[in-house]
Amino acid sequence: MRAALPFLLLLAACAPPAIVPVVQTASVTADAETVAVKSGDDAADDPAIWRNAANPAASLIVGTDKQAGLYVYGLDGQVRDFNDAGRVNNVDLVETPAGVIVAASDRSDEAQAQIALFRLNTTTARLEPIGRVPAGAGEAYGLCLWATPGALTAFIVIKDGTIRQIELDVATASGRIVRTMKLNTQSEGCVVDPRTARLYVAEEDVGIWRFDARASGSTTPVKLAGVDGKRLVADVEGLAIAAEVTGNGGWLVASSQGDNAYTLYRLADEHFAGRFRIGTGVVGSTQETDGIAVMTGDFGPAFPQGLMVAQDGENSPAQNFKLVGWGKIKAALKLR
């Protein structure tokens, strides 16, 4: 056996290297962009989309300037409102019987997290403050909402990876922590698929995790995808659901910030479904994207199959958000 060892080592040295699968990255261009936020440097962060069912082209986008407050934009990218909400980081919105409720993670006090609540007046496109809800110790970072019949739930992601599930009472601007979950390191992006009651959270240097969103569910995370430097490149930042119009299909979209790309996973089986970048076209490309939002459906002539909004970390003279038609992304990735 010892005599054969040098020969075996020689064979191994002469063997061809293992074939590493090449991950193709498609390219699309943005159709429009928002006015830049007024704060310099690292300011724009996360968007949310409200679709006007009666007049889709009049839909609105809410975006954070994490140094100053919240913007409301039209689909033309022009500012419709600005609310001096302070250091709000992530934002989400849902339609409820009480109106379109907007929530943002407030880290004005980095030792004590809060949730800033607003009502979006869809007629005037203005944000109407409701109040702030205490969300426990730590620096508020990520946030996503989940509306169910008779309940409104916020998931707030603390910078250290703690996730608190808070039942909100909009009428009294109050909340109750019903459950706490934990990831090991810095985390931010989150999104709930309301059709399946699944919560997805991005642990920036590790990957994407799935939780049962129900208060009675398990607090043990299930790993959906890991940072591998090919399909998913750290930091993993924003997450969004691109839901199929019928059924529970569609895609989970993640910002692969480390290589200025976006990665998709099929919701049906949580398998990798492709990746793309937003290149330069009628407006500029995107780099180092933090937050993203996606909504399928009709948004008027400019976005007839849906809309993706992505933060651009290197826009000049200041950061802004780029708007891309979802149909363009589906075609580039040959999604079915």
Side-chain angles (χ1 to χ4, degrees):
M1 293 297 293
R2 288 183 179 178
L5 184 58
F7 178 70
L8 293 175
L9 292 174
L10 178 62
L11 284 178
C14 296
I19 297 174
V20 178
V22 176
V23 180
Q24 299 293 332
T25 303
S27 182
V28 301
T29 56
D31 300 284
E33 64 182 339
T34 67
V35 172
V37 300
K38 65 180 181 180
S39 300
D41 298 325
D42 187 17
D45 194 273
D46 189 44
I49 302 168
W50 173 71
R51 179 178 174 273
N52 187 332
N55 182 8
S59 299
L60 299 170
I61 299 162
V62 180
T64 60
D65 176 338
K66 60 188 177 185
Q67 309 298 338
L70 288 167
Y71 284 89
V72 180
Y73 302 99
L75 296 190
D76 59 0
Q78 296 302 304
V79 176
R80 301 289 301 278
D81 186 35
F82 176 76
N83 187 284
D84 186 9
R87 297 182 64 209
V88 288
N89 197 58
N90 276 196
V91 66
D92 200 3
L93 62 80
V94 291
E95 294 203 45
T96 76
V100 178
I101 303 302
V102 177
S105 54
D106 182 349
R107 59 177 185 177
S108 298
D109 180 350
E110 295 185 5
Q112 295 294 326
Q114 295 186 93
I115 299 171
L117 293 178
F118 303 83
R119 185 175 286 102
L120 176 62
N121 185 322
T122 57
T123 301
T124 64
R126 294 184 65 84
L127 289 167
E128 301 169 348
I130 296 172
R132 278 171 163 75
V133 176
E139 183 178 351
Y141 220 45
L143 179 137
C144 50
L145 293 175
W146 180 32
T148 55
L152 177 59
T153 300
F155 294 91
I156 188 163
V157 183
I158 305 303
K159 196 171 184 177
D160 69 357
T162 300
I163 306 153
R164 297 193 182 102
Q165 184 167 350
I166 300 176
E167 289 187 358
L168 297 172
D169 185 338
V170 174
T172 60
S174 61
R176 179 173 67 91
I177 298 173
V178 297
R179 194 168 63 139
T180 300
M181 296 158 280
K182 186 72 172 72
L183 296 174
N184 290 329
T185 62
Q186 182 168 308
S187 306
E188 181 176 4
C190 72
V191 67
V192 177
D193 187 342
R195 305 166 305 168
T196 57
R198 288 182 169 182
L199 166 69
Y200 299 95
V201 183
E203 187 176 6
E204 294 185 359
D205 292 333
V206 178
I208 302 170
W209 299 88
R210 168 170 51 81
F211 291 90
D212 187 332
R214 297 170 296 183
S216 60
S218 171
T219 59
T220 302
V222 176
K223 197 169 189 178
L224 184 148
V227 167
D228 60 4
K230 301 181 183 71
R231 293 177 172 179
L232 200 58
V233 182
D235 292 346
V236 187
E237 291 280 349
L239 297 178
I241 297 289
E244 289 283 78
V245 176
T246 59
N248 292 331
W251 299 269
L252 174 69
V253 187
S255 171
S256 178
Q257 190 187 73
D259 69 337
N260 305 321
Y262 309 89
T263 306
L264 275 69
Y265 300 90
R266 285 189 302 271
L267 290 169
D269 56 15
E270 296 179 341
H271 289 173
F272 173 75
R275 65 199 318 271
F276 68 96
R277 291 189 178 92
I278 301 173
T280 300
V282 294
V283 298
S285 58
T286 60
Q287 292 82 32
E288 298 185 6
T289 293
D290 287 332
I292 58 175
V294 179
M295 185 174 287
T296 56
D298 178 20
F299 281 81
F303 307 101
Q305 296 184 53
L307 173 66
M308 175 173 174
V309 182
Q311 182 258 11
D312 182 4
E314 294 185 5
N315 186 71
S316 180
Q319 295 177 345
N320 72 348
F321 300 92
K322 299 296 195 289
L323 284 61
V324 186
W326 180 247
K328 182 183 293 188
I329 295 167
K330 286 188 70 176
L333 295 178
K334 299 180 173 60
L335 298 177
R336 298 289 184 268

